[in-house]
Amino acid sequence: MGIRAAFMVPHPPLAVHEVGRGEENKIKKTLSAYNEVADQIAKIKPDTIIISSPHSVMYADYFHVSPGLEGKGDLGRFGAPQVSFRQDYDTDLVRLICMYAEAAGISAGVLGEKDKSLDHGVMVPLYFVNKKYTKYKLVRIGLSGLPLSDHYRLGMCIKKAVEEEDINAVYIASGDLSHKLKPDGPYGFNPDGPEYDEKIMQVMGTGDFGKLFSFSPSFCDNAAECGHRSFVMMAGVFDCTAVKSSALSHEGTFGVGYGICSFYPVGDDASRNFLDCHEKEKRMELDKVRKKEDAYVKLARMTVEAYAVYGKKPSLEKKGKEIRAVSPGGDVLSLPPEMMERRAGVFVSLHKEDDLRGCIGTTAPCTDSIAEEIMNNAVSASANDPRFDPVESIELDKIVYNVDVLSEPELIDSPSCLDVKKYGVICFKGNRRGLLLPDLDSVTSVEQQIEIACRKGGINPAENPGLMRFEVVRHR
């Protein structure tokens, strides 16, 4: 008993005949592979099907597991209300998954349900499965904004829960690939789109799940994929397990990638502990980063660590000609004179496993020195960024810091004075203002830079906002 098989599948509503009304014939390879998946599931006769869907309830810091006795839904929003399902939930397995997640320190559970209806990320796979087999219970799990490692860990918890319940289960990782495959597609084209599809099909087709961690957030964003985290969660259910993988189909007819793969466990394999290997690599990378930190970054790190552990910032002391920052724990950091003699706006950014973990800054100095500016903004970035929970001490050994010291902003007449690599931008209208730092991986044009800065400031670009530019000295 356990996870008998898993499948990576897309969820285009037009694959459903009642929605596509003939258009589905343009993706015949996908339909053929989907029917093959349904046949394989029918042969397994699973007690429970577990589906992770990008279109279920999703939170930045929490995995939502659908509660209740049953799930119902239809494809009415896609013009086919007659396509509807009602499926019993496996309440015992849901309870066990949540229990194991809590024990592992993963934020997951049945709270916060916004919409009880089954989403199309679940409905489309079930449309094909239910043609061949219906005697199963369902578990529906949403993705989150948490790191990939947490998605993998939740997959490991799912595996434990299935084994404890002693049932036959199938896992379906629902997710489309890139949405940026063609200029005439609904989402346009980005060169990272075809590259993403090629890489993900290679990784999943060979079962080399460790490489899922090597896809950078900016690469995934540029490709506009929607299934990567779903695939990582599925990989977690096969932790330390040898897997027979097969790539069944891949198509991008409509400018969106549809990939289908199957996975069957074939025995234990302790060498396939992909999360442990990934975290070991990240620790080695972090050690190299820490050795290269200058005083600006070391002060930001010292401040966050002191505040997370002791609830206090370091103190600044002058001993002879030496200026020092002293942590509440007794650690001492010598600071160069310019950090106390100069004033400037400063941004402090925190990243955890390549994902943003907090970023707060000042466009103009609010304290008497750069050192004080760094400490104040480091505390704000780690504890007061409204997008994130406060940083906890258990996270400190995984966080990387950037400190950007800003030049004085200057008013400019037009976007032609901007350069996304060299200048940051401040857009302002009345009391509203939004800022974006320069040289960000995901920002490739001035138009995009201004649009994001306006959005952050609650400004419509059509309002013709004023523009200011600034340069930064980046410490990392």
Side-chain angles (χ1 to χ4, degrees):
M1 299 290 192
I3 302 288
R4 296 285 304 282
F7 302 91
M8 177 184 92
V9 299
H11 46 246
L14 63 79
V16 175
H17 173 70
E18 291 82 350
V19 176
R21 299 174 185 177
E23 285 294 293
E24 73 275 11
N25 293 324
K26 296 178 181 179
I27 51 170
K28 288 183 177 179
K29 291 180 181 178
T30 299
L31 299 182
S32 176
Y34 236 133
N35 285 315
E36 183 177 344
V37 167
D39 285 335
Q40 293 183 30
I41 291 174
K43 289 180 181 178
I44 295 170
K45 295 182 171 59
D47 302 303
T48 299
I49 294 178
I50 304 147
I51 300 184
S52 52
S53 169
H55 298 285
S56 183
V57 178
M58 182 173 179
Y59 291 97
D61 56 356
Y62 179 78
F63 292 101
H64 178 75
V65 185
S66 293
L69 299 177
E70 65 178 18
K72 295 185 290 185
D74 63 55
L75 292 178
R77 61 176 291 208
F78 301 102
Q82 70 274 30
V83 180
S84 62
F85 303 125
R86 186 206 67 78
Q87 207 71 42
D88 290 339
Y89 283 137
D90 188 336
T91 55
D92 290 334
L93 185 58
V94 167
R95 177 183 57 80
L96 286 172
I97 290 171
C98 295
M99 181 187 74
Y100 276 114
E102 182 179 5
I106 300 169
S107 182
V110 296
L111 301 177
E113 185 172 49
K114 296 177 180 177
D115 186 355
K116 293 183 179 181
S117 301
L118 297 178
D119 60 278
H120 71 277
V122 172
M123 293 282 293
V124 173
L126 293 189
Y127 173 84
F128 290 94
V129 171
N130 287 1
K131 288 181 176 181
K132 308 292 179 70
Y133 180 73
T134 59
K135 296 179 180 180
Y136 63 89
K137 292 182 179 180
L138 181 67
V139 173
R140 179 174 70 145
I141 301 178
L143 310 180
S144 80
L146 292 167
L148 294 180
S149 58
D150 285 342
H151 288 74
Y152 190 97
R153 286 191 183 93
L154 185 56
M156 295 169 65
C157 294
I158 292 168
K159 176 184 179 181
K160 289 181 181 178
V162 168
E163 290 173 350
E164 179 168 330
E165 196 178 3
D166 196 26
I167 58 171
N168 288 325
V170 162
Y171 190 103
I172 296 178
S174 179
D176 295 336
L177 307 186
S178 171
H179 287 62
K180 297 270 191 176
L181 297 183
K182 291 183 175 183
D184 59 349
Y187 305 96
F189 175 78
N190 187 296
D192 286 344
E195 184 179 352
Y196 176 86
D197 274 32
E198 181 180 356
K199 286 186 174 181
I200 199 69
M201 289 303 297
Q202 171 67 21
V203 168
M204 301 305 282
T206 59
D208 193 2
F209 300 142
K211 290 182 179 176
L212 288 168
F213 294 107
S214 68
F215 288 62
S216 72
S218 61
F219 177 58
C220 290
D221 288 344
N222 290 341
E225 57 75 28
C226 84
H228 200 86
R229 292 169 183 264
S230 186
F231 309 152
V232 173
M233 195 184 297
M234 185 217 72
V237 307
F238 290 126
D239 184 63
C240 292
T241 303
V243 173
K244 180 183 178 181
S245 306
S246 299
L248 304 181
S249 71
H250 174 260
E251 290 184 294
T253 306
F254 301 107
V256 178
Y258 305 143
I260 297 182
C261 296
S262 66
F263 310 92
Y264 284 84
V266 292
D268 295 336
D269 186 345
S271 69
R272 290 174 61 85
N273 57 340
F274 297 116
L275 182 61
D276 287 347
C277 293
H278 167 68
E279 293 189 331
K280 186 180 295 184
E281 289 176 3
K282 296 301 289 186
R283 283 193 295 271
M284 292 173 62
E285 290 175 8
L286 189 57
D287 287 343
K288 292 179 181 177
V289 169
R290 294 275 166 88
K291 289 176 181 178
K292 294 179 180 179
E293 290 177 345
D294 65 10
Y296 292 76
V297 178
K298 286 180 179 178
L299 180 59
R301 177 160 61 86
M302 173 187 275
T303 302
V304 172
E305 292 175 351
Y307 198 81
V309 175
Y310 301 102
K312 297 180 180 180
K313 295 183 295 185
S315 59
L316 297 175
E317 299 179 356
K318 190 170 184 179
K319 189 173 183 180
K321 293 184 178 181
E322 184 185 19
I323 301 167
R324 310 187 307 173
V326 182
S327 167
D331 294 332
V332 176
L333 173 65
S334 293
L335 304 178
E338 72 266 15
M339 289 182 68
M340 291 300 295
E341 295 169 356
R342 287 185 56 217
R343 301 175 70 231
V346 168
F347 269 74
V348 177
S349 304
L350 284 59
H351 289 83
K352 178 182 174 184
E353 298 184 28
D354 298 324
D355 290 321
L356 185 67
R357 186 61 180 85
C359 179
I360 295 289
T362 45
T363 59
C366 297
T367 63
D368 292 334
S369 69
I370 289 176
E372 292 173 276
E373 207 81 22
I374 289 173
M375 290 194 297
N376 284 356
N377 292 339
V379 168
S380 294
S382 66
N384 300 320
D385 188 327
R387 297 168 294 180
F388 304 96
D389 289 334
V391 170
E392 298 180 0
S393 57
I394 194 172
E395 302 176 76
L396 295 175
D397 63 349
K398 296 182 179 179
I399 293 178
V400 175
Y401 302 83
N402 291 342
V403 175
D404 291 317
V405 180
L406 280 60
S407 68
E408 185 174 348
E410 59 176 334
L411 195 64
I412 57 175
D413 295 328
S414 75
S416 64
C417 300
L418 291 171
D419 179 324
V420 294
K421 293 295 183 183
K422 183 177 181 180
Y423 297 112
V425 66
I426 300 171
C427 300
F428 61 92
K429 192 72 176 180
N431 293 326
R432 293 168 293 158
R433 61 173 48 206
L435 176 147
L436 196 68
L437 295 169
D439 198 20
L440 301 177
D441 290 341
S442 58
V443 179
T444 58
S445 70
V446 168
E447 292 76 18
Q448 184 185 11
Q449 186 184 40
I450 291 174
E451 190 276 327
I452 296 172
C454 283
R455 191 190 325 141
K456 292 174 72 175
I459 302 168
N460 187 330
E463 295 182 72
N464 193 28
L467 300 174
M468 302 180 77
R469 72 181 185 184
F470 59 89
E471 296 184 71
V472 305
V473 176
R474 180 156 291 165
H475 302 264
R476 42 172 111 209

